[in-house]
Amino acid sequence: MAVLVCGGTGYIGSHVVAALIEQHEEVVIIDRMATGREKAVLGGKLYLGDLNDPKILDTVFKENEIEAVIHLAASSLVGESMTQPLAYYRNNVEGTLRLLEAMHKHRVDKIVFSSTAAVYGDPERIPIREADRKMPRNTYGETKLAVERMLHWAEQAHGIKYVILRYFNVAGAHDNGLIGEDHDPETHLIPLAIQAALEQRESMIIYGADYSTKDGTCVRDYIHVMDVAEAHLLAVNSLRNGGKSAVYNLGNSEGYTVKEVIEAVKKVTGREFPIQIAPRRQGDPAVLIASPDLIMEELNWYPKRGSLEKMVESAWEWHRTHPYGYAESKQGPWRGELLS
Ligand SMILES: NC(=O)c1ccc[n+]([C@@H]2O[C@H](COP(=O)([O-])OP(=O)(O)OC[C@H]3O[C@@H](n4cnc5c(N)ncnc54)[C@H](O)[C@@H]3O)[C@@H](O)[C@H]2O)c1
Ligand SMILES: O=c1ccn([C@@H]2O[C@H](COP(=O)(O)OP(=O)(O)O[C@H]3O[C@H](CO)[C@@H](O)[C@H](O)[C@H]3O)[C@@H](O)[C@H]2O)c(=O)[nH]1
């Protein structure tokens, strides 16, 4: 029987696919390849299609014996979600609704869902625990929370068991050197700083240096993408073994400021680049740090690549050897031009 990975050509999805294949799992992927890359797929059977299309879902479930679903397919840019909220509801909420309808129809009753620290909004305490207040500050987080609630009710009525993984800030690349992060446009801090180190950008912008944190910049909990991928394997196995539905934070329980991350990039790459301070970015909470105690206790997961320097080294290795991502040369708007 196969594991269906929705969004398996994306950054995190491709690492989940690689981890499944390393465990000799049969893998089926569905992806509309909006932000994903075919070259990121190291194995499995790939369907090009959109979750909002019930016909392609029907085909995937009919042509394969699907045992469990790992659902990473989503639109996930916080800023974009504020200007296109309805598109985010359509893709993230309606897309998941279609997926759950197909699972119900084809009697598939296990799903692992990619949620986010963004469901918490401004946390009521640090480190954040799963039961803490959830009050998203952006549409992206709101759509993920809506899906979490949908999963709850789908279990009540249809017996679909779920594991919800609330990732904090995912970083780094696979140790095999073949896959890594390649977003266009890139919005994440570590790859952007590396682009500045590679002189693909003129400078690096810090969004807000007036937060009440130790150096005035935002604090985030970074987690290596391979540690994230391993958590998915444990989650699938837990559901296979009759484990209960559950919600887990996925982070390292350590926070680093934006300035600390930029310093780590300068140290690891051995390169200097200019920094500009800009106003705060809309929707950014000051501090997000996970308590991952629950997933450690219940699934025996623990992060193996937790240090910031190791994560930056891992990301640097990928970007240094793949300066244009999966493209072999400068292509597309940002690849050939300097952006600030
Ligand atoms: N990157 C992070 O730090 C982070 C943190 C928290 C949560 N997440 C969540 O993890 C998941 C993966 O994130 P990522 O960074 O790998 O993003 P990504 O954009 O690289 O990957 C998402 C993939 O899903 C596909 N997709 C999107 N909508 C689809 C649809 N309707 N039908 C079929 N395919 C569709 C895209 O084409 C892409 O390949 C997302 O759900 C995201 O919200 C990411
Ligand atoms: O050019 C940049 C880019 C980012 N930042 C800051 O760096 C921090 C991290 O930003 P980013 O890498 O964009 O991640 P987040 O906005 O924290 O969001 C990520 O992490 C969240 C969970 O914490 C997920 O929900 C999101 O999907 C994922 O993109 C934030 O304080 C940003 O303001 C800058 O200062 N300059």
Side-chain angles (χ1 to χ4, degrees):
M1 292 190 82
V3 177
L4 173 64
V5 183
C6 306
T9 76
Y11 167 45
I12 302 168
S14 59
H15 289 77
V16 170
V17 167
L20 287 165
I21 285 169
E22 282 155 25
Q23 293 301 309
H24 309 290
E25 296 274 3
E26 193 184 325
V27 178
V28 175
I29 299 161
I30 179 167
D31 201 302
R32 64 176 181 169
M33 303 251 275
T35 51
R37 307 277 184 265
E38 195 169 353
K39 284 189 184 164
V41 177
L42 298 183
K45 181 172 167 190
L46 173 61
Y47 288 82
L48 180 60
D50 197 305
L51 292 189
N52 280 291
D53 173 2
K55 279 198 212 120
I56 181 83
L57 282 176
D58 225 31
T59 306
V60 170
F61 281 96
K62 269 189 194 145
E63 289 184 357
N64 303 279
E65 235 186 303
I66 305 294
E67 182 193 11
V69 174
I70 300 182
H71 174 30
L72 307 104
S75 303
S76 60
L77 302 182
V78 170
E80 188 182 67
S81 80
M82 301 300 281
T83 55
Q84 299 178 40
L86 303 181
Y88 270 66
Y89 273 91
R90 177 179 296 280
N91 202 41
N92 297 356
V93 181
E94 193 179 331
T96 308
L97 172 63
R98 300 275 181 218
L99 175 64
L100 288 171
E101 283 172 344
M103 288 176 64
H104 179 46
K105 179 174 169 190
H106 295 275
R107 298 173 205 275
V108 177
D109 63 358
K110 300 173 192 66
I111 183 167
V112 179
F113 173 64
S114 305
S115 190
T116 166
V119 297
Y120 296 108
D122 285 314
E124 54 188 336
R125 61 172 170 171
I126 295 293
I128 305 169
R129 291 185 175 274
E130 287 82 355
D132 288 355
R133 181 187 63 202
K134 279 151 290 284
M135 209 182 278
R137 287 191 59 183
N138 49 62
T139 316
Y140 165 62
E142 203 64 80
T143 60
K144 291 286 183 174
L145 191 56
V147 171
E148 291 195 7
R149 299 305 299 155
M150 201 192 302
L151 289 169
H152 169 77
W153 295 112
E155 180 189 24
Q156 304 289 308
H158 306 308
I160 296 176
K161 297 272 180 212
Y162 60 81
V163 172
I164 292 168
L165 298 174
R166 292 185 187 139
Y167 317 157
F168 282 61
N169 290 54
V170 184
H174 202 289
D175 291 345
N176 67 14
L178 299 174
I179 55 175
E181 191 164 8
D182 180 12
H183 288 129
D184 183 11
E186 188 50 78
T187 60
H188 292 135
L189 179 64
I190 293 176
L192 283 174
I194 289 177
Q195 285 179 2
L198 285 169
E199 297 183 353
Q200 291 176 338
R201 288 179 183 272
E202 281 168 357
S203 63
M204 183 68 212
I205 296 170
I206 294 180
Y207 295 120
D210 58 349
Y211 287 96
S212 38
T213 58
K214 65 178 169 183
D215 61 20
T217 64
C218 284
V219 173
R220 292 288 180 274
D221 183 342
Y222 294 85
I223 170 129
H224 196 282
V225 66
M226 289 182 71
D227 286 331
V228 171
E230 277 173 27
H232 290 74
L233 302 188
L234 294 170
V236 168
N237 283 332
S238 162
L239 292 174
R240 272 178 180 149
N241 297 332
K244 64 180 170 53
S245 292
V247 187
Y248 299 119
N249 284 339
L250 211 49
N252 270 308
S253 70
E254 262 189 72
Y256 296 98
T257 67
V258 173
K259 281 186 179 167
E260 284 171 335
V261 171
I262 291 174
E263 280 315 308
V265 171
K266 287 184 172 179
K267 185 173 169 214
V268 165
T269 63
R271 299 181 187 193
E272 270 299 321
F273 46 87
I275 307 292
Q276 292 175 38
I277 306 289
R280 293 179 180 195
R281 200 172 64 173
Q282 199 194 353
D284 268 345
V287 181
L288 288 176
I289 302 174
S291 162
D293 291 357
L294 200 59
I295 189 167
M296 289 172 163
E297 275 163 34
E298 294 190 356
L299 297 192
N300 205 18
W301 172 87
Y302 63 98
K304 298 182 183 129
R305 305 161 185 87
S307 91
L308 176 64
E309 201 162 313
K310 284 225 166 357
M311 276 184 267
V312 171
E313 275 169 9
S314 164
W316 171 236
E317 192 51 26
W318 160 255
H319 290 284
R320 185 182 66 76
T321 52
H322 299 78
Y324 310 113
Y326 291 101
E328 272 154 28
S329 59
K330 291 177 183 178
Q331 278 180 2
W334 75 262
R335 298 183 202 283
E337 291 167 18
L338 278 177
L339 300 179
S340 54

